[in-house]
Amino acid sequence: MAQDNEIKSSSENTEVKEVEAPKAELNTVNTAPQAPVYEDYEAHEVAKKPKKKFKKRYLAIGAAVLVVGGAIASRFLNSGNNIVYVTTEEAALGTIENVLSISGTVQSAETKNYFAETNAKIAEIPVAVGDKVSAGDILLSYDQEDLDLARQTAELSIKQAKSSYSANFSGTSAADREYAQGMNAEQINVRLDEITVQIDTLNNQITDKKARINQTLTDLQKAQADINQNGIADNSESLFENGSDSYLYRNEFDVKKEDDKDKFDNPSPENRQMSLALQQSIADVQYALSYDPEIQSWSNQITALNEEKSHLQTAKASLLNPGQIASAKAQLDSTELSQEDAIERIDAAKEGVKADFNGVVSSVKAVEGQSVQTGTLLFTLENLDEVEVAIQVSKSDLPKISIGQQVDVAINGNPYNGEITKISGNAVKNNNGVAVVDTTIKIKNPDSNIILGVEASNKIHAQKADNTLVLPYEYINTDSEGDHVYVVENGVVVRKNVTLGITSSTEAQIVDGLSAGEAIITSDTEMLTEGLAVAVAPAP
């Protein structure tokens, strides 16, 4: 009821109040008069708040006016004889590092899909999604009887292909086909002509050499006959045309019979030795006629050439169209290649499908007892030895990162060492429509505690500078003209425009505009102006 009366009174007696700002007591400084502040209501309006609220509003306005007036008065006082005290800190060199904190998703750097290598029934799958496995663990095994049957089928396919190819050469032996392999009728004729020439050449060489050997044999036999007859060679008989036998006595040393001057006793030792030597030479030459290595080599070549000639002549008689031969051979080669490969894969499948690396099973598509065809997807394995974190970097942070930068990574509360290994060259839009760049961090020391797909906290050591000028952010001011600091030089305030380099959450690198050792004003600089006389307050 009392409240209703108060509201009623307020509505009946509408009034306008004037609130004057308190006057600051200034010594000799005149301040501009303060404009009155009004708060009014129309006569027909009913106040929505109690009167006590109005009183608080008046007090707030008055306090604001006092603060403004006091600040202005203080500024005018400082411009007079009163000294303004400030605190300073000497600009010094230090170290600054920009560490970017960006969360990301843990993922494997290597994912492998396993496919069926042969047509067979699956006997057992001892793993499930989420299972961690070690390199060499059995992930799947096939039915052994199915594998044996598949191997026999592949072997039979090869046998049938060979039989089909051989059927194209009925009437010819395998040797005939081997000699004529890849040759058409024209090529066979050319080869036959070459063989004829080669055989003729070899026969001529044999004939010439045998003729030379036979001539040598004839000469040796004639010399032997001369010695056996009278110890005088035919080419020496002219010496005895006059019946003189003094040479014979003098050179041959044969013993002449007393009763027959034309006959001699046994030949002298010299004649006998010569006769034996001639006999050995004749035997050697006769042996050479049958066993001379060069003649034998030529004879063997002739035999081989005649054999080739015979096979080629037979093959030519039943030669198929060259295109048919090439097609049949290609079909055989293709069948052998594919089926031999199938046999190798079947033999490998008998040992089961094994994990290639330490990892976690991320999907299983196969089912025990299922008969799969070659190429069927069985399961997927994520490598736990090659782990990375995928992050997205904004365009403002992109200039701060680079390949090779070190990263402190935390996964499930466990610390890991990371390194930036990939920065995409293409920006994408995230869920908020902001352009970001996909970046990859490689975990250098992964372990079995890592769980794929979880969030990872990453602190990227982006930028760092040593022995450089560093200031806390609160000492740096910014206005329309840029970044600046205030320093004290010769007792007055001096503005220094500065250029910032590396920045962190609390500090900034000063790359230009300030030198080490300068006195940076660290107290409130809001009311300071360049050229204002100040004094450095003593340290507390």
Side-chain angles (χ1 to χ4, degrees):
M1 192 68 177
Q3 185 176 357
D4 294 338
N5 292 335
E6 185 178 6
I7 295 174
K8 182 177 181 182
S9 175
S10 174
S11 62
E12 290 176 352
N13 302 306
T14 303
E15 60 181 352
V16 177
K17 294 183 179 181
E18 179 178 348
V19 180
E20 295 185 4
K23 296 181 180 179
E25 296 182 1
L26 306 178
N27 292 336
T28 59
V29 180
N30 294 325
T31 60
Q34 300 296 315
V37 179
Y38 296 98
E39 187 167 2
D40 55 356
Y41 295 91
E42 295 296 332
H44 63 279
E45 290 181 338
V46 177
K48 297 181 179 179
K49 296 181 181 179
K51 280 187 176 181
K52 59 182 180 179
K53 297 292 184 179
F54 295 162
K55 292 179 182 180
K56 288 184 179 181
R57 185 176 298 175
Y58 294 147
L59 290 175
I61 295 174
V65 173
L66 283 174
V67 171
V68 174
I72 296 173
S74 175
R75 185 168 184 176
F76 277 102
L77 284 173
N78 289 338
S79 64
N81 295 326
N82 292 340
I83 297 177
V84 176
Y85 286 95
V86 296
T87 58
T88 63
E89 183 177 312
E90 189 175 280
L93 301 178
T95 297
I96 186 170
E97 184 176 23
N98 187 354
V99 178
L100 301 178
S101 295
I102 305 176
S103 62
T105 304
V106 181
Q107 62 187 27
S108 174
E110 181 183 5
T111 299
K112 181 172 181 178
N113 292 319
Y114 287 78
F115 299 90
E117 293 291 334
T118 185
N119 301 338
K121 182 187 294 183
I122 297 175
E124 183 182 7
I125 304 176
V127 296
V129 174
D131 286 353
K132 291 184 177 180
V133 298
S134 300
D137 285 354
I138 298 294
L139 306 176
L140 180 147
S141 59
Y142 293 102
D143 184 275
Q144 296 297 312
E145 292 184 359
D146 269 16
L147 293 178
D148 290 339
L149 179 60
R151 196 181 200 286
Q152 293 173 6
T153 301
E155 292 173 343
L156 180 60
S157 295
I158 295 175
K159 185 177 180 180
Q160 289 175 339
K162 289 182 177 180
S163 176
S164 177
Y165 177 73
S166 299
N168 292 308
F169 299 93
S170 58
T172 60
S173 66
D176 295 335
R177 294 192 297 273
E178 181 178 354
Y179 277 99
Q181 185 173 353
M183 299 174 67
N184 55 34
E186 182 179 355
Q187 291 171 326
I188 291 177
N189 285 332
V190 171
R191 180 57 186 156
L192 288 173
D193 291 341
E194 292 175 351
I195 291 174
T196 300
V197 172
Q198 291 175 349
I199 291 175
D200 291 343
T201 300
L202 292 170
N203 280 326
N204 291 335
Q205 290 174 330
I206 293 174
T207 300
D208 291 343
K209 187 161 189 178
K210 283 187 173 182
R212 293 194 301 272
I213 294 174
N214 283 321
Q215 183 60 50
T216 301
L217 180 60
T218 299
D219 293 341
L220 291 173
Q221 290 173 339
K222 187 176 181 180
Q224 185 183 40
D226 290 341
I227 291 175
N228 290 341
Q229 180 180 3
N230 55 17
I232 303 173
D234 290 342
N235 56 4
S236 301
E237 288 181 349
S238 60
L239 300 176
F240 304 95
E241 290 179 354
N242 297 325
S244 173
D245 57 1
S246 59
Y247 180 84
L248 180 63
Y249 279 80
R250 186 170 56 251
N251 293 285
E252 300 301 335
F253 300 104
D254 287 346
V255 179
K256 188 176 182 180
K257 291 182 179 182
E258 294 297 334
D259 56 346
D260 188 353
K261 66 176 183 179
D262 295 328
K263 293 183 180 181
F264 296 88
D265 290 330
N266 294 329
S268 65
E270 289 78 3
N271 284 339
R272 189 161 42 251
Q273 184 177 2
M274 183 180 295
S275 178
L276 291 174
L278 285 172
Q279 289 178 4
Q280 183 61 46
S281 298
I282 291 171
D284 292 341
V285 173
Q286 289 173 333
Y287 182 84
L289 280 173
S290 300
Y291 302 102
D292 179 74
E294 194 170 28
I295 292 176
Q296 283 189 324
S297 174
W298 292 333
S299 298
N300 292 337
Q301 292 179 49
I302 291 172
T303 300
L305 288 170
N306 281 324
E307 182 181 359
E308 181 182 358
K309 182 178 181 180
S310 175
H311 286 300
L312 288 176
Q313 288 172 335
T314 304
K316 178 184 175 182
S318 59
L319 190 63
L320 294 175
N321 180 281
Q324 291 177 308
I325 296 176
S327 177
K329 185 64 169 63
Q331 181 65 35
L332 173 61
D333 292 342
S334 176
T335 301
E336 286 182 327
L337 182 63
S338 62
Q339 296 304 319
E340 286 173 357
D341 178 67
I343 291 173
E344 289 182 4
R345 289 186 281 107
I346 291 169
D347 291 342
K350 289 186 175 182
E351 299 181 6
V353 180
K354 299 180 180 180
D356 293 317
F357 43 74
N358 299 327
V360 59
V361 180
S362 59
S363 72
V364 177
K365 302 296 184 182
V367 178
E368 290 184 1
Q370 174 188 8
S371 293
V372 295
Q373 301 296 314
T374 301
T376 302
L377 178 62
L378 302 175
F379 49 84
T380 303
L381 189 64
E382 307 280 347
N383 195 336
L384 287 178
D385 292 331
E386 297 291 335
V387 181
E388 60 190 21
V389 178
I391 63 173
Q392 293 184 322
V393 180
S394 65
K395 64 179 182 180
S396 60
D397 288 332
L398 188 60
K400 302 175 184 178
I401 67 171
S402 61
I403 301 295
Q405 286 177 337
Q406 300 304 299
V407 185
D408 296 331
V409 182
I411 303 174
N412 296 332
N414 298 318
Y416 298 93
N417 299 325
E419 178 181 343
I420 294 179
T421 56
K422 182 180 180 181
I423 300 174
S424 175
N426 181 49
V428 297
K429 296 292 182 68
N430 63 12
N431 295 333
N432 297 323
V434 179
V436 291
V437 176
D438 290 328
T439 302
T440 302
I441 300 171
K442 177 182 175 60
I443 303 299
K444 297 193 291 185
N445 57 334
D447 57 29
S448 58
N449 294 321
I450 289 180
I451 298 177
L452 301 180
V454 300
E455 186 179 54
S457 299
N458 311 284
K459 293 185 180 298
I460 303 173
H461 297 272
Q463 299 168 303
K464 185 178 181 180
D466 297 316
N467 198 31
T468 188
L469 200 59
V470 180
L471 288 182
Y473 264 127
E474 58 262 29
Y475 299 166
I476 303 172
N477 303 284
T478 303
D479 58 19
S480 60
E481 297 181 10
D483 299 317
H484 61 278
V485 298
Y486 288 107
V487 301
V488 176
E489 291 184 359
N490 300 321
V492 298
V493 176
V494 176
R495 172 181 169 136
K496 294 274 189 174
N497 293 324
V498 295
T499 302
L500 305 185
I502 300 173
T503 59
S504 67
S505 59
T506 58
E507 297 177 315
Q509 177 191 25
I510 308 299
V511 296
D512 189 36
L514 189 67
S515 300
E518 295 193 65
I520 308 297
I521 296 177
T522 60
S523 55
D524 185 15
T525 60
E526 184 177 353
M527 303 306 298
L528 298 180
T529 60
E530 190 169 18
L532 179 67
V534 295
V536 178

